[in-house]
Every structure is written in structure tokens, then in C-alpha cells.
Amino acid sequence: MGGSSNEGNCTPVAEFNIYVDPEAARIVFRSGIPITMFGLNVTHKVPMFIADIDRIRNIGNETGKVVAAMLDYYFRNGRVEGMHDPCAIAYLIDPSIFTTKPCNVEIETNGEFTRGQTVVDLRDRTDRSKNANVAVEVSGERVLDMIFEAVKKFK
């Protein structure tokens, strides 16, 4: 989980995980290993509202209460902004929840205003090789249901 094809949360264009060490991110994206990128452009499509948090809180187990309390901490402006890390885990469990697109992703390491930006070539504007599958769509409802069902299984 990191980056974004269209926005940042640390700067206007850089997502925190990439921003804190863009040189390392560049090495990873250029390494040739298989990468599926879950950026803010997708994770923000899975917000959690008070009804979602209360659904978890009211499961009737201790885990539900603890998870709801953690979500309460991140609740601002009427919602938890996005289920960032749960999206990456949900993909490992059920990739059909997401639509991904092979893209070239470069990491900006020097820009005065763009350091840490993931530059995602969604429109194939360059001839650079596609080095990542970039998540572009998600069924947010299915991710939330998956979270609910997982929490329900605990004590």
C-alpha cells in the first residue's frame, strides 16, 4: 500500500509511505519484482462511516469493540478517510474485488514540489516498461463486508 495515481496525503502529490523514503521506493519499483500498487486513488474509495463503525462495534465480541475504538480515533469530517492497508490484504484474499491496470510507475526523488510522487502512466504516454499492476477500481462494499466478517470470527 503506497502511492497514488492522482493525489497525496503528505503533500499535494505524495502519499506518506512513498514520501518518507522515495529512494527506496524507486529501487523497489525498478527491481523487476511483481508489484501490485494500492494507492490513495483506490483506498479512498473505501471510506468507513459511523454506521460501518457501529456495525463492527455491535458485533458482540471484544475484538469488534477494540477495532471500532481504533476506527473512532481516525474518524474525522464524517468518516474514516479510507481503508488503506485492508485493501492490500483484501486483494490477497480475493483479487476479484479490484480492477488493476499494468502501468509504468516512476518515483520522483528530486522535485522541489513533487518529491515522493508516484508518477503513474495510466494512459501509456511513455514507452517505459510496465513495472506495476496499479489498482484503479474497488468494490468498497465487498472490502467492508470482508472486514466485518473477519472481525466477527474473533473473540
Side-chain angles (χ1 to χ4, degrees):
M1 193 265 114
S4 179
S5 65
N6 66 351
E7 63 182 316
N9 63 355
C10 191
T11 74
V13 297
E15 180 274 331
F16 177 79
N17 291 327
I18 305 296
Y19 179 78
V20 295
D21 196 346
E23 291 81 9
R26 176 181 269 182
I27 291 167
V28 171
F29 274 88
R30 291 183 174 180
S31 71
I33 63 171
I35 296 172
T36 302
M37 183 180 112
F38 294 90
L40 298 176
N41 55 293
V42 167
T43 64
H44 279 169
K45 293 179 181 181
V46 190
M48 203 174 265
F49 298 98
I50 195 67
D52 302 310
I53 297 171
D54 286 342
R55 180 180 176 206
I56 291 171
R57 187 183 332 275
N58 295 323
I59 286 174
N61 62 22
E62 193 60 32
T63 302
K65 292 175 189 169
V66 170
V67 169
M70 287 188 283
L71 291 165
D72 287 338
Y73 177 81
Y74 290 102
F75 190 83
R76 290 177 184 56
N77 302 317
R79 67 184 184 178
V80 176
E81 191 171 60
M83 294 292 98
H84 308 299
D85 296 328
C87 280
I89 300 305
Y91 178 81
L92 295 173
I93 296 168
D94 185 358
S96 73
I97 294 173
F98 298 86
T99 302
T100 61
K101 179 178 179 167
C103 295
N104 177 265
V105 178
E106 296 295 335
I107 311 299
E108 178 58 57
T109 59
N110 296 314
E112 179 181 358
F113 301 107
T114 58
R115 181 174 168 77
Q117 180 178 10
T118 45
V119 181
V120 181
D121 187 6
L122 286 168
R123 296 184 182 158
D124 295 322
R125 301 281 192 219
T126 71
D127 61 354
R128 293 187 173 116
S129 65
K130 294 168 174 45
N131 59 349
N133 284 316
V134 177
V136 293
E137 290 297 334
V138 59
S139 170
E141 185 176 313
R142 287 177 63 193
V143 172
L144 294 180
D145 285 345
M146 187 179 282
I147 293 168
F148 180 80
E149 291 302 319
V151 171
K152 206 163 84 168
K153 291 178 182 178
F154 290 94
K155 294 181 179 185

